[in-house]
Amino acid sequence: MIAKNNKQKVAVKVAADSTAGDEWAAERKLGSRAPGFIRKSSLLHLGWQVGIFVVGLAVVGAGVAMLVLPGPGWLVIFGGMAIWASEFVWAQTVLRWTRRKVTAAAQRALDPKVRRRNIILTTAGLVIIAALVGTYVWKFGMIMPWNIKQ
């Protein structure tokens, strides 16, 4: 009986490790993706890294500006991080962590209990907004707030 339980535990462990290994193999190795001739020369590789950093910084800066201005700010920021990830290990690590968190959040959002809760909260919010708009229209009519004279 004890030997059977140990074999089952080992089988489960091996199955879990092989699944994790498949996922790990699917991800690319960390490190520079610069062409080989650039990586051979340390001066050329340093220039390449500076160029990638400057371009990524410009894109991330534009994304940060788009957080307060019109535009897809977060999308552009992640685009800049992807540019940095083509050369820097720290950016690759951040992008992988972000990808795992977004995937986990998407899976949680597909949970029927979470979906039901979100639908109920959205409906309640819309009812409250409709009540506020109805009260405003009943009290002031279809007059814009800046045209109200008390």
Side-chain angles (χ1 to χ4, degrees), residues 98-138:
T98 305
R99 188 178 301 127
R100 282 194 308 268
K101 292 297 182 182
V102 167
T103 303
Q107 290 299 321
R108 279 194 312 268
L110 293 175
D111 180 25
K113 290 180 181 178
V114 174
R115 286 188 69 196
R116 191 175 318 117
R117 183 199 66 200
N118 290 345
I119 290 172
I120 290 169
L121 289 174
T122 302
T123 303
L126 290 174
V127 167
I128 290 170
I129 290 172
L132 291 173
V133 169
T135 303
Y136 176 84
V137 169
W138 174 69

Side-chain angles (χ1 to χ4, degrees), residues 56-69 71-78 80:
L57 186 64
V59 173
V60 168
V64 169
M66 286 183 203
L67 291 176
V68 293
L69 299 172
W74 286 109
L75 186 65
V76 174
I77 289 172
F78 290 130

Side-chain angles (χ1 to χ4, degrees), residues 32-42 45 87:
S32 175
R33 295 192 183 110
F37 72 94
I38 290 177
R39 281 183 281 170
K40 287 180 183 177
S41 169
S42 62
H45 192 242
E87 191 59 33

Side-chain angles (χ1 to χ4, degrees), residues 87-104:
E87 191 59 33
F88 302 108
V89 173
W90 61 267
Q92 293 168 1
T93 306
V94 168
L95 276 181
R96 286 183 182 179
W97 178 83
T98 305
R99 188 178 301 127
R100 282 194 308 268
K101 292 297 182 182
V102 167
T103 303

